[in-house]
């Protein structure tokens, strides 16, 4: 079965082809980062307009490079939410039009389910599992007893982990999105120069809070003589990353113990973070838990994960009608 995937929930326009015989045939991502970087964050209307300009040419490019026509496909899978509604509508309308014109089944995908199932794109997943979803808009601990079954155990009370990276990067004068530069600079940082908070560590709930981190970083930066030199910035990045990774892995492994799972997984853009991947690998090994980090290209937003999730749903006999609506917010279990 050949499934065309479409992802436009935020600032990446992506199309992909998943073939159930051979895996991901192609995954194209057109990033809008440079445009939004100018404003220090994603501007929703500009994102929608850029999707409108880029999406159909990307589909066309993919079909040509795969030597396929629309009628050769078996289905269209498209992100229905959560995300920026205008951006989602561009992908959803395009997906519907393509499905209708070639008489193909259409399946709407929850963006977070796509991120989680990205773990299955290159390695078979082991269940029961605990998944830490960490992206620009989400930080959640999700128990997954088997494929397609999700139980949210906890989440952030304020900012998402990706937002914590993006906001602290902005304070340090680093570009948007802030995760990749902080990740790189942290590797050159000196441990111990700053101390940032790890809130809610003693809270029995599986909850996170990252909003205090940006204040702590701002106060630390204000105490340094301006302008900040490269080593100052690297040292702050090191401790920002430590604080975020400590909180994330504490809750992930607490949840893993609570539910006696066999495996832990990371999902979402922050799963690309080298500090988080290394720490999770180390802690999982200590506890005898299975862990393989998802491939970097499948951590940040991409349509391969959407096409694959679409195939899983179609395989289970589920698809949607042409009246499928988008949703800006909605949990994994409640949106359908
Ligand atoms: O999943 P994603 O691509 O988009 C959303 O669904 O939000 O995640 C984007 C987030 C951004 O906040 C970005 O800073 C973060 O993922 N990110 C990283 C890294 N690469 C991307 N955070 C930390 N380290 C990275 N290497
Ligand atoms: Zn995402």
């Amino acid at each position: 079965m050949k499934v065309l995937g479409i992802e436009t929930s935020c600032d990446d326009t992506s199309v992909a082809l998943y073939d159930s015989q051979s895996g991901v045939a192609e995954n194209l991502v057109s990033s809008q980062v440079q445009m939004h970087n100018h404003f220090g964050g994603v501007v929703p209307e500009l994102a929608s307009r850029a999707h409108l300009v880029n999406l159909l040419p990307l589909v066309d490019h993919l079909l040509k490079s795969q030597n396929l026509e629309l009628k050769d496909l078996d289905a269209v899978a498209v992100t229905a939410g959560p995300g920026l509604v205008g951006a989602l509508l561009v992908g959803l309308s395009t997906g519907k039009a393509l499905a209708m014109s070639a008489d193909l089944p259409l399946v709407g995908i929850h963006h977070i389910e796509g991120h989680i199932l990205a773990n299955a794109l290159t390695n078979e997943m082991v269940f029961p599992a605990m998944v830490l979803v960490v992206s620009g808009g989400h930080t959640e601990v999700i128990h997954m007893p088997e494929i397609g079954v999700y139980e949210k155990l906890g989440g952030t009370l304020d900012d998402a982990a990706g937002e914590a990276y993006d906001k602290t990067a902005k304070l340090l004068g680093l570009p948007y999105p802030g995760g990749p530069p902080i990740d790189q600079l942290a590797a050159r940082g000196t441990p111990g120069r700053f101390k940032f908070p790890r809130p809610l560590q003693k809270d029995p709930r599986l909850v996170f809070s990252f909003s205090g981190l940006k204040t702590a970083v701002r106060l630390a930066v204000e105490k340094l003589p301006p302008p900040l030199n490269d080593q100052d910035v690297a040292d702050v990045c090191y401790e920002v990353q430590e604080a975020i990774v400590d909180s994330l892995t504490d809750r992930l492994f607490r949840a893993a113990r609570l539910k006696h799972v066999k495996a832990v997984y990371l999902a979402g853009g922050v799963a690309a973070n080298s500090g988080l991947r290394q720490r999770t690998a180390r802690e999982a090994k200590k506890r005898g838990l299975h862990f393989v980090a998802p491939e970097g290209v499948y951590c940040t937003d991409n349509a391969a994960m959407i096409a694959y999730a679409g195939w899983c749903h179609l395989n289970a006999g589920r698809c949607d009608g042409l009246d499928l609506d988008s949703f800006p917010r909605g949990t994994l279990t409640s949106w359908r």
Side-chain angles (χ1 to χ4, degrees):
M1 188 186 256
K2 289 182 172 56
V3 183
L4 175 73
I6 298 177
E7 157 61 40
T8 63
S9 65
C10 190
D11 59 342
D12 288 309
T13 315
S14 182
V15 301
L17 184 69
Y18 177 77
D19 186 330
S20 55
Q21 301 282 314
S22 51
V24 180
E26 192 143 2
N27 180 45
L28 303 173
V29 183
S30 166
S31 169
Q32 306 173 7
V33 148
Q34 281 190 324
M35 178 177 75
H36 297 296
N37 190 11
H38 186 68
F39 300 95
V42 178
V43 182
E45 185 179 330
L46 294 183
S48 310
R49 287 168 182 265
H51 289 311
L52 195 61
V53 171
N54 294 327
L55 184 54
L56 275 175
L58 272 187
V59 172
D60 198 38
H61 183 86
L62 181 140
L63 292 175
K64 284 196 178 118
S65 82
Q66 292 293 317
N67 240 331
L68 293 172
E69 291 182 31
L70 258 190
K71 63 173 175 45
D72 301 323
L73 301 176
D74 297 296
V76 177
V78 55
T79 306
L84 302 171
V85 122
L88 288 164
L89 287 174
V90 177
L92 196 52
S93 312
T94 307
K96 285 183 183 186
L98 294 171
M100 193 179 180
S101 66
D103 206 14
L104 301 172
L106 173 83
V107 58
I109 300 297
H110 191 292
H111 181 74
I112 295 303
E113 181 169 45
H115 274 306
I116 293 172
L117 295 180
N119 279 285
L121 277 175
T122 39
N123 295 285
E124 201 172 321
M125 289 180 81
V126 172
F127 298 106
M130 196 59 67
V131 189
L132 177 69
V133 176
V134 272
S135 71
H138 291 259
T139 300
E140 291 172 7
V141 182
I142 294 175
H143 177 219
M144 206 175 160
E146 58 185 276
I147 190 109
V149 180
Y150 308 103
E151 181 194 7
K152 181 177 165 181
L153 299 184
T156 183
L157 300 178
D158 42 55
D159 290 350
E163 248 177 310
Y165 272 103
D166 297 340
K167 287 178 176 172
T168 46
K170 202 170 180 177
L171 282 170
L172 295 169
L174 299 171
Y176 172 86
I182 291 187
D183 194 4
Q184 278 165 18
L185 289 163
R188 286 195 261 135
T190 325
R193 224 181 121 194
F194 302 96
K195 188 84 194 131
F196 296 136
R198 274 92 169 137
L200 306 168
Q201 208 88 301
K202 298 259 178 315
D203 195 301
R205 298 168 300 165
L206 293 162
V207 288
F208 307 87
S209 169
F210 293 109
S211 65
L213 184 61
K214 57 181 187 293
T215 313
V217 170
R218 186 172 52 74
L219 294 175
V221 167
E222 279 170 5
K223 281 193 196 131
L224 296 171
L228 296 188
N229 64 38
D230 290 353
Q231 195 57 51
D232 292 334
V233 175
D235 294 349
V236 174
C237 288
Y238 177 90
E239 293 299 343
V240 163
Q241 180 132 310
E242 282 296 294
I244 294 174
V245 171
D246 277 353
S247 289
L248 293 177
T249 50
D250 173 76
R251 307 312 184 273
L252 172 62
F253 287 102
R254 203 147 29 101
R257 195 172 58 233
L258 189 75
K259 291 289 185 179
H260 307 287
V261 294
K262 289 189 182 149
V264 291
Y265 292 102
L266 301 176
V270 183
N273 185 267
S274 58
L276 179 60
R277 293 161 82 94
Q278 282 158 21
R279 179 86 69 85
T280 307
R282 204 167 64 225
E283 296 297 322
K285 195 171 172 200
K286 267 194 218 160
R287 294 164 171 80
L289 294 170
H290 173 86
F291 170 68
V292 181
E295 233 179 89
V297 283
Y298 301 138
C299 289
T300 44
D301 289 349
N302 68 87
M305 66 187 195
I306 302 302
Y308 177 76
W311 176 74
C312 293
H313 281 283
L314 292 157
N315 211 18
R318 281 189 295 273
C319 70
D320 291 291
L322 291 172
D323 58 349
L324 176 67
D325 200 0
S326 64
F327 56 96
R329 274 175 291 279
T331 66
L332 269 170
T333 42
S334 69
W335 77 274
R336 259 176 205 282

